Amino acid sequence: MKSFARFRLDSVNQCLWRRAEAEHEERVLLAPKAFSVLTYLVDHAGRLVTHDELLKAVWSSRVVEPQTVKKHIVEVRTALGDRPKNSLFIETLPRRGYRFIAPVSESVAPEPVVSGRAAPSELVGRGGALEELYEAWQHAARGERQIVFITGEPGIGKSALAEVFRQQAALTEKSVRIAHGQCMETYGNKEAYGPMLEALGRLCRGPRAEPIAKILFAEAPTWVTQLPALLTQENREMLHREILGATRERMLREFGEALESITAQTPLLLVLEDLQWADDSSVDLIASLARRRSPAKFMLLATCRSLELCTPGIRALIPDLLVHQLCRKIELSRLSETEIEEYLARRSPSSLPPAGLSALVHRHCDGNPLFMVAALEHMRKRGLLIHANGRWELQTPLAQIEFEVPDDLRHMIEAQLERVSGQEQHALELASVAGASFSAGLLSGAAETEARDLEDLYEELSRRHHIVKWVGTQTFPDGSAAERYEFVHALYRHVLYDRQLQGRRARLHRLIGERLAMLHARDIEEVVPELAYHFEQAAEWPRAIEYLRCAADITGRRYAHEQADSMLTRALELVINLPEAQRTRTEPQLLALLAAHRWAVWDVRVIETLERLVARAADYGLIDIQARALVDLSLFLSLISAEGCLEAVQRALRLSAQQDPVMRTRTRTACAFRRLSVCGWNAHDTLEFREGLVELGKHHGLPAGVADLVDDSFIRWCSGEYREARRLALEARAKLLELGANPNSRIEYEIASALAAFSLIYLGEWTEALKEYAAAIAGAKRNANHHYLQWLLAQKAWLHLQAMDFKGVLAICESALSLTRNSALRPAPDAPIGFPRQVRNALICSALASAALGDYARALQDFALVSTAMDRQTVFFDWYWRMPIAAGMTELWLATGDRSRAQQEAGRFLEISLATADRHWQGLAWEINSRVALENRDLPRAQDCIARAVATVQGFEVPLAAWRIHATAARIDEELGNHAAAAAHGEISRLTILRLANSLSEQEPLRESFVSAPAVARILNGHW
């Protein structure tokens, strides 16, 4: 077994061991290929190993790019803590290969220490915290998920404790996965799920990544789409269809389910640093993970500053989880004088620390570990104290040192900075503008220094001072690489940043932003939030606003619409800084995007957003934008208030007089449909709508958009043209399935899908309808899309109603109405839960089924609820649904023998239906009036009404009405002695019924419900 420096290469177990304090060993994780690369280099230490030789030795049976070797060399160097420059282990020989330069010796393999406790370290005063962490880890290993927060003031040692425990966890389990995510301090504009995606990306790149990727594809497709490295063009298109209509709730659920599968066999430790800067979506995800009750060998360990220093989301989350006993909180306290004495003693094993030193340090740092280390370093650098040969030695009396040590941490950091050269201070200040971590490759443009020289400077700083540290090698999209460094603590960055004049900082932010954009030109989405931050700090308002817009778009594609909302709101706050010409273009665009994001989650604030857009467009003289905003506003208002909808329509129509012919036609076409949707069928509105589409297409060359197709589908559907309605709905849906479709167009997709399926019910193609509803309902449940689910359930209930499965209707309606108790359906805090249309449809189906089952009291109650609601506040297509209400009430009064009320309701039904172009309902209205006339023994009227019913449906594909109409016609002819005519009508009814029944398989329960229903069975048995 070969050893070098502090490492031992274990070829038997295919792993690398690193020796820490007191001969304790910890395992270093390496991917199999990276381990093979290291093994080959160590086996041939001291000589050049060419690229070709390494490729042949490690990838003998595969053809790979030379860049692959470089990637694995970077991974090995990172594991060893090595660097390309001044390397201790792997030397790069440009254009030739690599040489392992560290001395290598053969050794006997010792037994690795896996006691389950941390290795001795310089960490003091944290024994109790480590014990609690280890206890939590034991629970996690048994499948009891653990959420642990390490909290405390800046510099208290949260990250140090987490790192020691991470090393401990790697040793205590034979097989363990460890992932790390870093929350970034960017003052807003945070990437949605940023630290979680970072951790997930590492799991998918590291050892044993393949099974994790398979689990994600199977159980968390919404997350796979956020990891470009896993995507190919083929699976990208497949996933696009799979996740269309997804929601934030689906993302949260899928992450939880995938996590449980990932940890089924192997425990996972997820370490999140600096949770006080976490984005809201990550906070929601942590809350979701904590509340899941399924077993998971999982522990989330998060470091976080004291709650008063955290974002509102974290301030609310941690206490809530604690109250419900869903997490542990480890609050780190300051070190006592005794613990500081212990720290000094550990670093001075050969002698006791100088008397009084621990008391002096404690007085100055007040027990803050970061301050303690900085104070000792300050004394050492100034020659007041030396540490050599394992001993502390005072060079100056303690009384004199007392006056040499600054009294607070910021002054201590300033004192440290005084000891570095002016060039080094300049480089550190530049790095503080870049952020918590940085690379010379990024900063060289702003420094006006060669990247190599700047990297040498950071390298030297990381070796000599406790200010920055090397963290690895970063590869940019163009293939170039640079060493990455970070401040040892955020406080160093803050001090360096705050000491610079605002003008200088702004200039550096601009230069860094420009360099960052250039380096990531091929994958700009990876750095969009950073770019927005840099350009805002640089007061480069146009670019800051544009990157905020891009960040909101990316965030919206992660279904984090609230975060996208915040980003767009911030962009709108910055618009005031633009020149008027730019502001005129930009502000309306941002308001339209904000409205779209709010639309996508049924956020009632879309109303105020669109009103604001109308006002700003009016200020800027943008008539077309103003009119479009009013049309959009009228659509949302149509769902909650016909009065508000019509008022917006009138405003849009007044503006249309000032538009050019094309835009005027577009506005008036949309307004015609909106009037029709809330006021009722109107031949003039229908004609204007259809002629408008023709004019836009033929005369102006504008193909119908998705909204036009959906609106046209609605009109065809309520005209009884179900086949054409379905075709148009499917065409709209196909457009929305195209890659690159607007992620905020989910609602249009849902409407198109529902219309397509609903048309199948009226066409009598019930098996296909059931399939489409099953797929749509499964998708709505998967997406946790409660609005859409409620609508689909109400439509499915309508199908069961037509198939005479009345008990099934009631069960489905109960499921739909139970969703109204879900607060997610509340459009506003003070609004009723659910939008009226979905609730009313479910109540109508429930009332019709109850009446059919003889529960007339319940039926009357539900009919009354719906009718009262419609009278109080009319909404989208209420006029259409008044027809089945009238039909149902007529049937109810006929069933209870109240012929007077039946006649009155039948007359109202006929009046309502004749005001439309719907042959289905017109035919049924004439049919039911004929039956009322029969009950009243008015045979001439019965004969006249049924003749009108037959004529109404003649030549139209309306099988649901046709079988009933011809059945009643057969009955009337039979009573009149017209046996031949009765037989002809009866046969038409029977064949239509068989067509409906045969649209269902023999195994489908609905088929039996339908054919066994008394009204249907009577026809099938030849009894008219």
Side-chain angles (χ1 to χ4, degrees), residues 88-312:
L88 299 174
F89 299 103
I90 301 174
E91 179 184 25
T92 300
L93 301 171
R95 293 186 296 277
R96 287 179 290 169
Y98 305 95
R99 179 164 55 218
F100 196 84
I101 58 175
V104 177
S105 60
E106 293 288 341
S107 63
V108 178
E111 288 295 323
V113 179
V114 288
S115 65
R117 293 295 185 270
S121 69
E122 295 178 357
L123 199 66
V124 296
R126 303 298 182 233
L130 279 170
E131 286 294 332
E132 187 169 355
L133 287 172
Y134 181 64
E135 179 188 346
W137 182 242
Q138 286 180 314
H139 283 282
R142 292 196 297 266
E144 303 169 22
R145 70 180 65 224
Q146 300 291 305
I147 309 293
V148 184
F149 301 102
I150 303 175
T151 66
E153 66 182 78
I156 202 67
K158 302 179 292 292
S159 296
L161 176 61
E163 175 58 20
V164 168
F165 176 70
R166 184 197 65 78
Q167 296 172 11
Q168 173 180 326
L171 291 168
T172 56
E173 297 287 337
K174 292 181 180 179
S175 179
V176 61
R177 289 189 174 100
I178 299 177
H180 178 272
Q182 176 70 51
C183 304
M184 302 303 293
E185 183 186 19
T186 55
Y187 304 101
N189 318 325
K190 294 175 172 56
E191 180 185 10
Y193 303 109
M196 298 296 189
L197 287 169
E198 178 188 357
L200 206 55
R202 290 182 177 183
L203 284 173
C204 292
R205 290 192 302 270
R208 299 166 292 170
E210 186 176 353
I212 293 176
K214 286 182 178 179
I215 288 171
L216 291 177
F217 271 100
E219 300 184 28
T222 56
W223 288 86
V224 174
T225 58
Q226 311 303 329
L227 299 168
L230 298 181
L231 295 175
T232 64
Q233 184 61 31
E234 182 181 355
N235 60 34
R236 190 187 302 272
E237 293 177 3
M238 179 272 292
L239 288 169
H240 175 73
R241 293 173 178 270
E242 162 65 21
I243 68 172
L244 190 64
T247 59
R248 161 189 168 276
E249 289 75 15
R250 177 176 176 179
M251 284 200 77
L252 299 180
R253 188 191 69 249
E254 285 189 352
F255 191 97
E257 291 173 350
L259 188 72
E260 286 154 16
S261 295
I262 290 169
T263 62
Q265 301 299 326
T266 305
L268 170 64
L269 172 63
L270 175 57
V271 181
L272 298 182
E273 294 268 18
D274 294 320
L275 199 65
Q276 69 272 5
W277 296 321
D279 63 281
D280 292 339
S281 297
S282 293
V283 174
D284 289 342
L285 182 53
I286 293 170
S288 174
L289 293 175
R291 290 183 170 88
R292 291 181 70 88
R293 300 273 50 95
S294 305
K297 295 179 180 179
F298 168 67
M299 178 169 165
L300 185 147
L301 176 60
T303 65
C304 179
R305 290 185 181 176
S306 302
L307 289 183
E308 62 271 15
L309 302 175
C310 296
T311 61

Side-chain angles (χ1 to χ4, degrees), residues 466-504:
H466 296 283
I467 300 174
V468 297
K469 61 182 179 182
W470 177 81
V471 291
T473 303
Q474 178 181 15
T475 302
F476 294 107
D478 63 0
S480 63
E483 302 311 302
R484 194 158 188 84
Y485 302 85
E486 65 181 30
F487 290 98
V488 295
H489 197 279
L491 288 173
Y492 284 92
R493 185 204 167 210
H494 292 164
V495 170
L496 285 156
Y497 188 84
D498 293 344
R499 69 193 293 188
Q500 301 174 69
L501 294 175
Q502 185 175 353
R504 181 172 187 267

Side-chain angles (χ1 to χ4, degrees), residues 327-641:
C327 75
R328 300 171 186 243
K329 178 185 172 189
I330 301 175
E331 180 83 33
L332 297 187
S333 59
R334 296 186 175 191
L335 300 179
S336 66
E337 183 179 329
T338 302
E339 288 165 340
I340 292 176
E341 179 81 14
E342 180 185 350
Y343 172 83
L344 295 171
R346 285 195 185 181
R347 298 195 63 193
S348 180
S350 59
S351 66
L352 293 174
L357 179 59
S358 59
L360 181 144
V361 173
H362 186 263
R363 279 197 303 276
H364 281 276
C365 72
D366 198 22
N368 183 288
L370 178 64
F371 197 173
M372 174 189 72
V373 172
L376 290 168
E377 180 65 11
H378 172 81
M379 288 186 272
R380 189 182 68 80
K381 289 291 185 182
R382 296 181 72 90
L384 308 174
L385 176 71
I386 63 173
H387 183 254
N389 301 318
R391 296 169 57 90
W392 295 102
E393 295 182 9
L394 290 172
Q395 303 298 296
T396 303
L398 283 174
Q400 186 173 340
I401 293 177
E402 184 82 42
F403 297 101
E404 295 277 352
V405 180
D407 287 326
D408 63 70
L409 188 51
R410 292 186 72 91
H411 285 96
M412 177 65 71
I413 292 173
E414 289 282 7
Q416 279 185 273
L417 295 173
E418 288 176 5
R419 296 192 299 274
V420 301
S421 69
Q423 184 184 22
E424 289 171 331
Q425 287 190 41
H426 177 79
L428 288 169
E429 289 173 349
L430 175 60
S432 74
V433 176
S437 63
F438 52 90
S439 70
L442 171 64
L443 301 178
S444 57
E448 299 178 354
T449 305
E450 288 291 330
R452 182 175 300 176
D453 295 336
L454 189 59
E455 194 167 275
D456 288 340
L457 194 150
Y458 287 129
E459 177 70 17
E460 183 61 24
L461 279 168
S462 70
R463 290 180 183 276
R464 291 193 293 108
H465 300 279
H466 296 283
I467 300 174
V468 297
K469 61 182 179 182
W470 177 81
V471 291
T473 303
Q474 178 181 15
T475 302
F476 294 107
D478 63 0
S480 63
E483 302 311 302
R484 194 158 188 84
Y485 302 85
E486 65 181 30
F487 290 98
V488 295
H489 197 279
L491 288 173
Y492 284 92
R493 185 204 167 210
H494 292 164
V495 170
L496 285 156
Y497 188 84
D498 293 344
R499 69 193 293 188
Q500 301 174 69
L501 294 175
Q502 185 175 353
R504 181 172 187 267
R505 290 199 307 246
R507 181 179 66 83
L508 293 177
H509 275 296
R510 177 178 58 80
L511 293 172
I512 291 169
E514 290 170 348
R515 175 67 173 163
L516 187 64
M518 185 188 74
L519 287 171
H520 287 270
R522 296 182 185 177
D523 66 342
I524 199 71
E525 288 192 359
E526 294 293 315
V527 293
V528 159
E530 289 180 70
L531 291 170
Y533 164 67
H534 283 301
F535 286 121
E536 181 177 345
Q537 298 305 310
E540 289 279 336
W541 310 120
R543 287 192 281 191
I545 291 168
E546 176 58 19
Y547 284 119
L548 279 168
R549 186 197 63 76
C550 292
D553 178 64
I554 295 167
T555 302
R557 282 186 265 132
R558 292 176 183 169
Y559 314 105
H561 290 286
E562 287 188 17
Q563 266 188 258
D565 192 301
S566 298
M567 292 170 177
L568 290 169
T569 300
R570 180 57 183 160
L572 284 164
E573 291 170 355
L574 300 182
V575 161
I576 192 67
N577 299 298
L578 295 176
E580 184 174 356
Q582 276 187 296
R583 188 165 67 249
T584 301
R585 294 193 307 271
T586 304
E587 188 174 9
Q589 292 173 356
L590 292 173
L591 285 168
L593 287 171
L594 182 58
H597 278 283
R598 290 177 172 177
W599 238 121
V601 290
W602 300 95
D603 186 340
V604 75
R605 289 180 301 164
V606 70
I607 297 173
E608 66 184 56
T609 307
L610 288 170
E611 285 286 15
R612 182 180 170 190
L613 174 55
V614 170
R616 300 310 290 149
D619 291 341
Y620 298 139
L622 302 172
I623 300 298
D624 291 341
I625 292 175
Q626 193 179 356
R628 179 71 253 177
L630 285 166
V631 168
D632 291 342
L633 176 62
S634 71
L635 175 56
F636 192 89
L637 288 171
S638 72
L639 302 176
I640 55 178
S641 167

